[in-house]
Amino acid sequence: MNKKWVYFFSEVNQAEAYVGGSWDSVRGLLGGKGANLAEMTRIGVPVPPGFIVTTEACNAFLAAGNTFPEGMWDQMMASLAEVEKASGKKFGDATNPLLVSCRSGAKFSMPGMMDTVLNIGLNDATAEGMIKLTGNERFVNDSYRRLVMMFGAVVLGIRDEAFEEVLDSYKAAKGVKLDTDLNAADLKELIARFKDVVKKEKGFDFPQNPLEQIRLATEAVFHSWNGKRAFDYRRKAGIRDDLGTAVSIVTMVFGNMGWDSGTGVAFTRDPSTGEKKMYGEYLLNAQGEDVVAGIRNTEKIVEMAKSLPEAYKQFMDITAKLELHYHNMQDVEFTIERGRLWMLQTRDGKRTAAAEVKIAVDMVGEGLITKEQAVSRVTPEQVDALLHPQFDTATMAEAEKKGLLFAKGVNASPGAASGQVYFDADTAERMAKEHKQAVIMVRPFTKPDDVHGMLAAKGILTSEGGATSHAAVVARQFGVPCIVGASSIVIDLDKRIMTANGAILHEGEWISIDGATGKVFTGELKTSIPDLEEQKELLTLLNWADEMARLQVWANADYPKDARRARSFGAKGIGLCRTEHMFFEPVRLPTVQRMILAKTHEDREAALNELLPYQRSDFAGLFNAMDGYPVIIRLIDPPLHEFMPSAEELQEKIITSRIQGFAGYVLGKGEPADVADMEKKLKAVESLHESNPMMGLRGVRLSIYMPEIVEMQVRAIFEAACDETLKGVVVKPEVMIPLTGTVKELEWIQPRLVRIAKQVLEEKGVKELHYKFGTMIEIPRAAVTAGEIASVAEFFSFGTNDLTQMTFGYSRDDAERNFLIKYVEEGILEKNPFQTLDIGGVGKLMQMAVNDGRATRPSLEVGICGEHGGDPASIEFCHLIGNNYVSCSPFRVPVARLAAAHAALKHGKGLTQDL
Ligand code: PEP
Ligand code: MG
């Protein structure tokens, strides 16, 4: 039997059986749009009769060098006959013509990326017939001129402008503004002129044969899968190239049949905020593209309750049913033909990150989804977006006071963006990519061809179009701040300027747009970080995530203020405090340098005694901020030269000082006083010089070489811990020794440090204090000998920055500057291993370390504190190997909490699993 390439809308059961029952595969076969049209038919929603040509047919067509696969055309004809039967009309019949639309639809929706042609089946003869049938010459001519234009542009590849210029100049000559002001005779004239455009541009006539129209349109949709804009979109959205698109052939219903007809698009909830209210636009007496293109000014959907009350009620019932069926917010398209409502599309609506979170939490409250579904639905990137910088209200109010408010539009996609203005997609993309500028792309409205510029931009601003316009939908999907319909702005694309409220902005000048309020400012405004405490739904969602996760999320924080922020973001501990950062403070650095330069043990002790109170108060602040939670403090790690000025810097200073003091020198006054001092420093710096300091005297090696520093640090840690304990704070200090490579190092240093800890407890009279001594696993040898290391270390923390560096042999300071980018581009590495864990190599070492370490010490606490601790894919891996926690920078804590829950939902909560 011939392969089935075509499915009637009512054949969704057959499609399901063919793909093995999963809805995801049905969508893969029929495309998201086709599958949903079929599904709506199945649940009794009014959908005009039609059929779907599968994605398999598209792939077969493209693979065969643009030839329909065998049997496909015959199946299309058979299905067309079925549609004729269902609609009571005949395709190409002049007395009772059936018209159809030809719509693209891939598995994942790619709004506006591929092609659609409406009114197929109209030609000179069927148009005559329809006029007789409907008695509405204006409507028929309007439909016919749209077909010639769309067919010309989409199927025959003629520039839109060729038709738009004809339409605009005709309207100008007639002195009318709106398309609806054109009468039947005007539209007839436009049909003739549009046909002339086709003839002139292509050298042949607009095809009169309806079957030829349907064939060419189907081919065009298949082709559009490989068009540049679809290709660019797929890159950005991470959609595979081999999915192909399906084609839906759907009976036309007409929203332009008079004032009891109309068409619209709507979201069942507000896609910007997530609020539960119908959100959308419609137009009476119009066809779909009028609404989406933003060419005519649309009405708010709620107004339809007054203009078409019956249809509105039915519409509200159907959309409620669709939400209930899909358990998600829907984005629908509909047409009302002479009072009768038809649904043309439904899909899960694209939305902002804030809306995603609110809808997920609300739907749990409404009993539509479970908490687990809510948590799974929100992505780590969305949580990240909610914590991105915003302009704060005070900054905006001040800018307004200063007269910097340039314009106001519709707040289509939230977030703050400042950048230089460019008026077309190519320039915007070039300036962003080649010149590394922050770019705001400004257009009257956007089209799918503009997507590359929109994606390269930091923000998007249009002077026309509404909240469901192309610009708004694309921006929301990719989290780009966007304002649309800022109608006071006049853009002059020739002069490359825009004006509003008497102000002029030239291309390349700075503006700031606030996607949350729709305000556009001239200049660059300061941004601030949003407060998580105020984002109630996000807090709720993250609390649910914590209930589901097994991994805890801790934070890397060096100062009490970072610790407090981390705690407010939900961190359950500090996984890494890099103590050396405290040494760099200007009042402390001279003492640190004195300590390094000390010739005798006594001199060094004296300098360290000066540093001790500083460190003690640093740690006390941290313990206080993390009352009740563990705090891991890492002993000094970097090579000492990092605390000294560079040799070049010192040499330059010595020379300058000598030149300035030269006159005195000649007069026999000797060298300037500071030169001797600087020369001493220079000598020390030269003696500290190492060719490869990252592999030199640092970490535990430094502690063994010069134990006084870490002895002071441990004393400071325990003095602070005791003082805070005595104040009633619950302190859980964990002392971490960095860069261990052999257990012997720990055996040498750790007992000395433990002795100091015990001594301090005794001095302070503190009996009960839970503390641990442990190490970082960041040298491959430590991972490989983890069984031995765990005999001394009470906890492990993976320092995956160094572990990645040493496993690959790539310098973490240099690799990202040069070859690493090329390695990723060339596919030699799938991802940058300093961002996402290299599971095959570094990951293997980690897994071995966890297993061997726990074999020695079953209670071994294991965490990660390298940059990977905030990366969702790496977090999933840490869950799988049985880490207790991940630790990341405070801002990534909320993202990590969600990722930890996702890992548990995907793999279960059990400890280690087979990988
Ligand atoms: C690491 O190496 O992963 C780590 C956390 O330590 P640092 O980045 O300070 O070397
Ligand atoms: Mg390290």
Side-chain angles (χ1 to χ4, degrees), residues 115 117 147-160 163 194-195 197-208 212-213 215-217 219-221 223:
D115 294 332
V117 187
L147 171 66
V148 181
M149 183 170 174
M150 265 200 204
F151 199 91
V154 168
V155 180
L156 304 177
I158 302 169
R159 293 169 307 120
D160 288 339
F163 296 102
F194 282 178
K195 283 184 183 164
V197 172
V198 173
K199 178 89 189 187
K200 189 165 143 248
E201 297 274 335
K202 301 303 291 183
F204 54 79
D205 287 322
F206 169 77
Q208 289 287 315
E212 180 76 354
Q213 292 173 6
R215 187 177 63 78
L216 289 171
E219 283 182 11
V221 172
H223 273 301

Side-chain angles (χ1 to χ4, degrees), residues 576 578 634 637 698 776 778 799-802 812 865-866:
L576 173 64
R578 290 180 166 104
R634 180 178 72 183
D637 182 24
R698 57 173 288 223
M776 294 185 78
E778 48 187 347
T800 43
N801 303 333
D802 274 311
R812 58 192 264 195
C865 63

Side-chain angles (χ1 to χ4, degrees), residues 612 616 714-723 760 763-764:
L612 186 128
R616 191 172 49 219
V714 170
R715 172 160 279 280
I717 292 169
F718 283 89
E719 286 185 359
C722 290
D723 293 347
V760 175
E763 283 165 22
K764 297 267 182 187

Side-chain angles (χ1 to χ4, degrees), residues 24-90:
D24 190 61
S25 307
V26 174
R27 286 165 43 92
L29 182 70
L30 304 181
K33 187 182 289 175
N36 281 342
L37 284 169
E39 182 66 5
M40 283 199 285
T41 307
R42 175 152 77 176
I43 63 171
V45 168
V47 171
F51 58 88
I52 303 146
V53 188
T54 64
T55 53
E56 289 181 347
C58 171
N59 286 333
F61 170 86
L62 295 172
N66 303 335
T67 316
F68 287 156
E70 200 190 322
M72 183 194 111
W73 182 249
D74 293 342
Q75 290 177 27
M76 283 179 75
M77 291 303 98
S79 293
L80 192 62
E82 287 295 317
V83 174
E84 287 174 338
K85 233 193 272 163
S87 63
K89 299 175 183 176
K90 255 187 128 36

Side-chain angles (χ1 to χ4, degrees), residues 437-449:
Q437 291 185 2
V439 164
I440 307 288
M441 181 169 136
V442 182
R443 294 285 298 165
F445 55 89
T446 65
K447 290 197 245 172
D449 291 340

Side-chain angles (χ1 to χ4, degrees), residues 891-910:
F891 285 109
R892 291 168 94 184
V893 166
V895 172
R897 289 166 70 191
L898 186 79
H902 283 184
L905 289 172
K906 189 165 159 197
H907 301 288
K909 271 195 170 187

